[in-house]
Amino acid sequence: FLHRLYAWTLTRYHRVVHVDVDTLVLQPIDELLGAPPGVGGGGSLGGPAEEARPPPEAPEVVVDLVYTADYNMMSTKQRRRGVPPAVQGGFLVATPNASTFEALRDVAQGGRWGGTYGAGWERSNIGHWWGGATIQGLLPFFFAVKKPGAAREVDRCVYDNMIDRPVRDPPPRVGAEACRDTPLADIKVAHFTVCQKPWSCRPRHDPDDTRHLCRDLHATWFAHRRHLEARLGLTNASNDDVPCRRRSYLPIAFPDDLRLLPR
């Protein structure tokens, strides 16, 4: 997981987006890329949530990280105590910066997490959850304690929708409580965790998924697959049921020499 820190070393780029392989980008996210991230509209680690976007004449504020939170990794007690939320490692927008990378690396290599160092990182209680010893605990600790105000949270239901359990008591600092209630048309990035991977051919059937988002997102993923096959002129352009015949996934038949694909 810590290899994601190298996003901050890619200083030739304005922004670096790091997404998991089981995500699907459904709409542009230009608002996180074109203007410097951190211009209003979200909460920041180490500070209160912002309710409104500043007026156009307000100075632009560049942050090192735009992220979504994974509140379901935390206990209700942690959320009630206001512990900075777990960072969901499946969607990160980094502003490359060599000094930020070096500072993150130093904290990671210091290894002061758990055990004799108490709960979480450096007895802070931040990162005392699954994945907390890696990116999902290191980043909230770093941007709450070492570099407060340099990270911005955005709505997980829009930018990293996992169709996970609703977050209540307390509600999330940013965004909706129940990502399962988000209309498909409003989701910009889907993350196939709770819904299972499309290539598993076993979409999850959850009675609380009243909008059938898991089913619809799986169908959307396969529609993108068919579009890719058709655009590349591959011979096995699939019908709706072919890739998951008898729950056995049929991979895309890429040629051995990818240079043969149309550019």
Side-chain angles (χ1 to χ4, degrees), residues 58-191:
E60 294 179 333
V61 179
V62 180
V63 295
D64 290 333
L65 172 68
V66 174
Y67 69 99
T68 61
D70 196 334
Y71 291 95
N72 282 313
M73 281 189 181
M74 306 171 68
S75 68
T76 301
K77 182 178 179 181
Q78 287 173 322
R79 297 201 306 268
R80 287 175 177 171
R81 290 174 57 190
V83 175
V87 167
Q88 221 305 315
F91 177 83
L92 306 171
V93 180
T95 299
N97 182 301
S99 63
T100 298
F101 169 75
E102 291 166 2
L104 281 164
R105 180 197 59 197
D106 291 346
V107 174
Q109 291 181 341
R112 297 175 63 84
W113 180 89
T116 59
Y117 300 109
W121 285 92
E122 299 184 9
R123 301 183 185 274
S124 67
N125 290 312
I126 304 173
H128 188 58
W129 46 70
W130 187 90
T134 61
I135 206 80
Q136 295 170 157
L138 172 64
L139 290 182
F141 168 74
F142 180 83
F143 287 109
V145 176
K146 303 294 186 180
K147 199 172 182 181
R152 174 191 170 210
E153 179 184 354
V154 294
D155 191 344
R156 77 193 201 286
C157 298
V158 174
Y159 295 102
D160 193 18
N161 197 317
M162 299 187 292
I163 328 298
D164 54 344
R165 297 190 314 274
V167 177
R168 302 186 176 99
D169 191 28
R173 304 192 319 172
V174 174
E177 295 180 0
C179 291
R180 295 171 177 174
D181 294 338
T182 309
L184 180 61
D186 292 344
I187 299 174
K188 295 198 171 189
V189 181
H191 193 176

Side-chain angles (χ1 to χ4, degrees), residues 158-234:
V158 174
Y159 295 102
D160 193 18
N161 197 317
M162 299 187 292
I163 328 298
D164 54 344
R165 297 190 314 274
V167 177
R168 302 186 176 99
D169 191 28
R173 304 192 319 172
V174 174
E177 295 180 0
C179 291
R180 295 171 177 174
D181 294 338
T182 309
L184 180 61
D186 292 344
I187 299 174
K188 295 198 171 189
V189 181
H191 193 176
F192 293 98
T193 56
V194 175
C195 288
Q196 305 304 313
K197 319 307 179 194
W199 49 91
S200 73
C201 297
R202 290 174 175 82
R204 179 173 177 176
H205 301 285
D206 190 323
D208 293 330
D209 181 15
T210 56
R211 288 182 177 268
H212 306 291
L213 275 179
C214 283
R215 178 197 65 191
D216 292 346
L217 286 170
H218 274 239
T220 301
W221 190 91
F222 281 110
H224 279 265
R225 170 191 158 134
R226 291 192 300 275
H227 175 75
L228 176 65
E229 289 174 320
R231 186 166 67 88
L232 296 179
L234 300 178

